[in-house]
DNA sequence: ACTTCCCCTATATAGACAGCATGTC
DNA sequence: CTATATAGGGGAAGT
């Protein structure tokens, strides 16, 4: 079959030549060709539902760059992950040579959005795009192409409604833009296309052949009916992995828990090293291993990992710090590391293909639901990682069966199964409340009718058949009324007849990106007392469902109960049972389990803010360096958000206390280090502590110091020492030393020691 | 007396977006 | 309310 050639595309010559020359693409893949035929370059809305590596991204690039070059409009590319945003932007930068200006903006990086005006293609996350729409940035009018990547995320409970909200806002603005949606294969592609008013491209075509099968008892049963016996080494994963790497390939193993990831990787490493498998390169690997040791924040985790990396094996999960993760990913791409055992971290974002993908568990624990089978969609995401285009002759995805009858079951329910439909989660109370408030506060709706119209442009509305059924529409209207009432009672909204408007508080929530239910909890908590202790504040912050909660072990129950009793008056959110009931033991464990979870999480965060080492936090709470980064990010956002709420409500004491806690909780430092960490780039908790202990306690101390003295301190080299001193001198000269508002922590309020766990710094409380 | 094995029970269980301030991609 | 794998304890059986 003759494929459509790039040179025949209806796009400018420069772009055609560029694609052929720089991208090395001569001909289009069938799905790409179909996209062109369906009007990609005619400004038609389009949705592509195809598997990974079928060139959806190239089509998006072409559509965007073409629009920029020919029509002089801007383009937006919205993706689900920050890392993905940076990656796509990096790839897009090659078009800078055609004069196309590329920018990335995400919440973590950017403050002001005005500078984006000067760029042609803006790569961003869903949430940041929603935020841009909330602020009604004026350059939005000049956007001609909107690409939504991985749009099957509309199924996600939390993130999906944001996508729908984006679409509803774009519609409400009446912006004239081409919508291009990219999706993994989903069950209801037609429905999505209809919702988006888009042409549909569906295809199961793949650039590398994929063989799918199930392993059981020494045999791989392929879905096409063929089977292959491999050497059974007792352990299914081990057998499959050895079979792969002895054949010169690489394997990616997916499993359902972090501990499994470590355990499996260790077993594999032990086997490979003990039996002296020759395919690995020990010299190079020990370099990698050294790099990991060096960059790991937690020595424990680093050593655990470094040890097995020497054997060409690694584990990978979100508890690892970013740099360790990228070392692993890079070494896998370089083929030094032959096997990575990962949780789903790797299935979603990072592009890390391998000859063989092994799916160790097809079930996963869902809190509140027990063990649940993986959706077919996730299986497809994982199996889609199999086979590197142009490098491997084919890719393989192998599921592991625990019993003989499971073989057919897995073939039927995964390999040959239809992918699930994508279902909107927009019409739940929480999502409705957030997005209705957002629509009103940002001026997309000023009456109940507007709200209804706004909602009618969501997928949830279409899927609920509300457009077709008057009775259902009545129900929905009543539900919206309830939510409007809730927002009014909470003081976020005002209403006169049919007209609605956000209050100052409501506007604040909208810009803080805080959901109304959480904000309500925060405000009620703040009203309980004028001031409270650190535990009280940390515990209040943790009430947000955004904060991952630690589980309380049985043997910790009593310690935390005691802590609750001792701090009863200071806790701004009380459990559902009374103090007397706790003291008399008149309750079931389940009644307070969730509450204690929040307490434990707060305690961990305070340990962090009291400079507990990362190793101790890992030991005591099973919280890895990667998790700490997430917690730190969250604290930076949530604590300052609560401080802003307190400010809006004129609660000065709260505000003051929260403003120091914010820094302590985000950076994991005691108050005395705040000045150093806040003012000096390259100085975090560890270096700040080292500086402080060496007598450099303030920016002035450092400005007056000899860089040579500082370079001798642990964690400093010559360069960093000089940079820090330079920075300090500069800000002192300019009189710009930021003095964080500090108040005396009232330590005497709650002296309390928890448990006998080693390293806990809770005695401070 | 000591080890081994089996059964029962307790325990633990994935990931990662967003604000604002200040003065750069 | 929902599940399962694993580690550890305790006791019975085996050496």
């Amino acid at each position: 079959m003759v494929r459509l050639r790039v040179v025949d595309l209806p796009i400018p010559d420069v772009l055609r030549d560029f694609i052929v020359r720089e991208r090395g693409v001569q001909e289009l893949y069938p799905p790409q060709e179909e996209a062109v035929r369906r009007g990609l370059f005619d400004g038609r809305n389009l949705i592509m539902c195809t598997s990974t590596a079928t060139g959806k991204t190239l089509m998006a690039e072409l559509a965007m760059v073409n629009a920029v070059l020919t029509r002089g409009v801007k383009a937006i590319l919205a993706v689900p992950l920050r890392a993905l945003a940076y990656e796509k932007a990096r790839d897009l930068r090659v078009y800078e040579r055609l004069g196309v200006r590329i920018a990335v903006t995400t919440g973590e990086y950017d403050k002001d959005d005005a500078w984006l005006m000067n760029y042609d293609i803006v790569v961003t996350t869903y949430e940041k795009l929603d935020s841009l729409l909330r602020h009604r940035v004026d350059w939005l009018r000049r956007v001609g192409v909107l690409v939504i990547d991985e749009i099957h995320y509309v199924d996600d409970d939390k993130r999906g409604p944001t996508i729908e909200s984006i679409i509803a806002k774009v519609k409400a603005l009446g912006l004239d833009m081409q919508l291009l949606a990219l999706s993994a294969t989903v069950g209801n592609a037609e429905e999505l296309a209809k919702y988006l008013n888009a042409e549909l491209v569906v295809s199961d075509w793949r650039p590398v052949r994929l063989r799918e099968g199930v392993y059981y008892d020494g045999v791989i049963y392929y879905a096409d009916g063929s089977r292959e016996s491999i050497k059974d080494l007792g352990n299914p994963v081990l057998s499959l992995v050895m079979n792969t790497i002895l054949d010169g390939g690489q394997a990616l193993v997916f499993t359902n828990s972090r501990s499994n990831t470590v355990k499996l990787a260790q077993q594999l490493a032990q086997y490979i090293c003990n039996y002296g498998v020759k395919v690995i390169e020990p010299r190079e690997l020990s370099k990698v291993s050294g790099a990991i040791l060096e960059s790991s924040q937690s020595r424990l985790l680093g050593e655990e990992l470094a040890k097995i990396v020497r054997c060409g094996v690694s584990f990978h999960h979100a508890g690892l710090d970013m740099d360790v993760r990228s070392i692993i990913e890079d070494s896998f791409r370089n083929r030094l590391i032959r096997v990575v055992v990962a949780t789903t971290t790797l299935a979603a974002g990072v592009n890390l293909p391998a000859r063989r993908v092994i799916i160790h568990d097809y079930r996963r624990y869902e809190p509140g639901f027990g063990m649940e089978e993986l959706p077919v969609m996730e299986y497809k995401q994982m199996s889609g990682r199999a086979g590197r285009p142009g490098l491997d002759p084919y890719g393989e995805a192998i599921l592991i069966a625990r019993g003989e009858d499971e073989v057919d079951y897995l073939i039927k329910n995964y390999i040959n199964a239809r992918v699930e439909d994508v279902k909107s989660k927009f019409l739940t109370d929480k999502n409705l409340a957030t997005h209705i408030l957002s629509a009103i506060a940002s001026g997309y709706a000023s009456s109940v009718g507007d709200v209804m119209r706004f909602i009618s442009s969501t997928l949830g509305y279409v899927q609920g058949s509300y457009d077709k059924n008057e009775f259902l529409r009545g129900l929905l209207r009543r539900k919206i009324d309830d939510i409007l009432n809730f927002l009014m009672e909470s003081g976020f909204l005002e209403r006169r007849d049919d007209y609605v408007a956000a209050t100052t508080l409501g506007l604040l929530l909208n810009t803080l990106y805080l959901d109304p239910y959480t904000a309500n909890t925060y405000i009620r908590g703040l009203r309980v007392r004028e001031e409270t202790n650190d535990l009280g504040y940390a515990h209040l912050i943790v009430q947000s469902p955004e904060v991952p909660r630690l589980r309380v072990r049985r043997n910790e129950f009593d310690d935390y109960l005691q802590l609750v009793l001792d701090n009863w008056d200071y806790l701004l959110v009380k459990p559902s049972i009374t103090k007397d009931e706790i003291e008399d033991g008149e309750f079931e464990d389940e009644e307070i389990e969730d509450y204690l979870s929040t307490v434990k999480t707060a305690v961990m965060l305070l340990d962090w803010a009291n400079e507990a080492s990362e190793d101790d936090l890992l030991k005591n709470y099973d919280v890895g360096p990667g998790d700490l980064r997430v917690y730190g990010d969250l604290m930076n956002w949530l604590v300052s958000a609560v401080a802003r709420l307190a400010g809006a409500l004129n609660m000065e004491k709260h505000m003051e206390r929260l403003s120091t806690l914010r820094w302590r909780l985000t950076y994991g430092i005691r108050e005395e280090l705040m000045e150093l960490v806040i003012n000096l780039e390259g100085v975090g908790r560890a270096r700040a502590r080292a500086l402080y202990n060496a007598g450099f306690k303030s920016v002035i101390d450092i400005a007056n110091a000899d860089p040579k003295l500082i370079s001798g301190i642990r964690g400093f080299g010559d360069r960093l020492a000089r940079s820090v001193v330079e920075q300090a001198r500069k800000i002192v000269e300019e009189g710009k030393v930021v003095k964080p508002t500090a108040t005396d922590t009232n330590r005497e309020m709650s002296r309390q020691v928890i448990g006998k766990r080693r390293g806990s710094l809770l005695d401070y409380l």
Side-chain angles (χ1 to χ4, degrees), chain A residues 48 246 305 413 451 474 519 565 641:
Chain A
M48 293 182 74
L246 288 175
L305 190 52
N413 289 292
V451 171
L565 289 176

Side-chain angles (χ1 to χ4, degrees), chain A residues 623-663:
Chain A
V623 167
D627 303 305
L628 284 172
R629 220 187 78 91
V630 171
Y631 278 112
D633 268 5
L634 277 168
M635 290 303 112
N636 195 20
W637 166 38
L638 290 175
V639 184
S640 61
V642 177
R644 291 286 297 273
L645 286 179
L649 298 165
N650 296 317
M651 299 167 152
E652 317 246 322
K653 286 254 175 62
H654 282 324
M655 229 167 67
E656 204 178 325
R657 294 291 307 272
L658 286 164
S659 60
T660 69
L661 256 185
R662 174 218 176 160
W663 297 112

Side-chain angles (χ1 to χ4, degrees), chain A residues 506-763:
Chain A
L507 291 170
L508 186 60
L509 298 199
N510 188 44
T511 52
L512 290 176
Y513 227 90
L514 214 52
D515 89 83
Y517 288 99
T518 309
N520 205 28
T521 308
Y522 282 159
I523 291 169
R524 276 207 312 258
L526 290 173
R527 287 195 171 125
V528 170
R529 299 170 58 105
E530 223 175 78
E531 188 181 17
T532 187
N533 61 10
D534 289 348
L535 182 64
Y537 286 114
H539 182 250
L540 181 66
I541 305 298
V542 159
Q543 298 304 309
S544 162
E546 309 298 329
V547 182
R549 287 166 193 188
L550 304 175
R551 288 173 61 92
V552 183
R553 293 193 191 88
R554 267 307 180 269
N555 59 1
E556 298 172 327
F557 236 78
D558 291 343
D559 292 336
Y560 286 107
L561 271 181
Q562 192 56 47
L563 189 74
V564 169
L565 289 176
D566 292 337
N567 289 277
W568 186 266
D569 292 335
Y570 296 108
L571 290 165
L572 301 178
V573 177
K574 307 279 194 277
S576 59
I577 51 180
T578 66
K579 196 176 180 186
D580 288 345
E581 282 170 334
I582 295 179
E583 278 169 341
D584 302 342
E586 290 169 3
F587 64 91
E588 299 296 321
D589 281 0
E590 297 76 52
E591 286 182 86
I592 197 157
E593 205 176 344
D594 286 344
Y595 186 82
L596 290 186
S597 270
T598 60
V599 174
K600 181 178 178 182
T601 311
V603 167
M604 181 277 289
L605 286 168
L606 288 181
D607 263 7
W608 157 251
N610 285 316
E611 297 179 40
S613 73
E614 305 215 356
D615 275 347
D616 282 339
L617 292 168
L618 185 70
K619 255 192 316 222
N620 295 331
Y621 302 99
D622 205 18
V623 167
D627 303 305
L628 284 172
R629 220 187 78 91
V630 171
Y631 278 112
D633 268 5
L634 277 168
M635 290 303 112
N636 195 20
W637 166 38
L638 290 175
V639 184
S640 61
V642 177
R644 291 286 297 273
L645 286 179
L649 298 165
N650 296 317
M651 299 167 152
E652 317 246 322
K653 286 254 175 62
H654 282 324
M655 229 167 67
E656 204 178 325
R657 294 291 307 272
L658 286 164
S659 60
T660 69
L661 256 185
R662 174 218 176 160
W663 297 112
R664 296 191 46 215
L665 288 168
T666 53
Y667 292 112
I669 51 173
R670 289 207 169 90
E671 204 170 321
E672 61 209 31
L673 299 187
M674 277 166 48
E675 186 180 321
L676 297 181
V677 171
I678 294 171
N679 285 290
L680 302 172
E681 208 162 300
V683 177
R685 62 191 318 236
R687 288 182 183 138
R689 177 46 66 196
L691 284 171
Y692 192 93
N693 290 348
F696 303 101
K697 302 187 176 187
S698 68
V699 175
I700 300 223
D701 291 344
I702 292 169
N704 296 331
D706 178 352
K708 288 210 181 65
L709 276 175
I710 289 184
S711 69
I713 297 172
R714 196 169 58 87
F716 285 90
D718 274 356
R719 260 185 56 166
L720 188 61
R722 255 186 320 216
S723 136
V724 163
V725 172
E726 248 167 59
Q727 284 183 61
R729 285 184 184 154
K730 192 163 165 233
I731 40 188
V732 168
E733 246 168 57
E734 292 168 357
K736 282 188 182 159
V737 182
V738 180
K739 288 272 180 193
T741 45
T743 48
D744 290 323
T745 41
N746 40 358
R747 301 183 179 206
E748 70 289 349
M749 282 218 285
S750 58
R751 196 154 264 294
Q752 174 59 226
V753 183
I754 218 189
K756 291 130 212 98
R757 288 170 297 108
R758 264 192 311 158
S760 174
L761 294 180
L762 251 206
D763 26 359

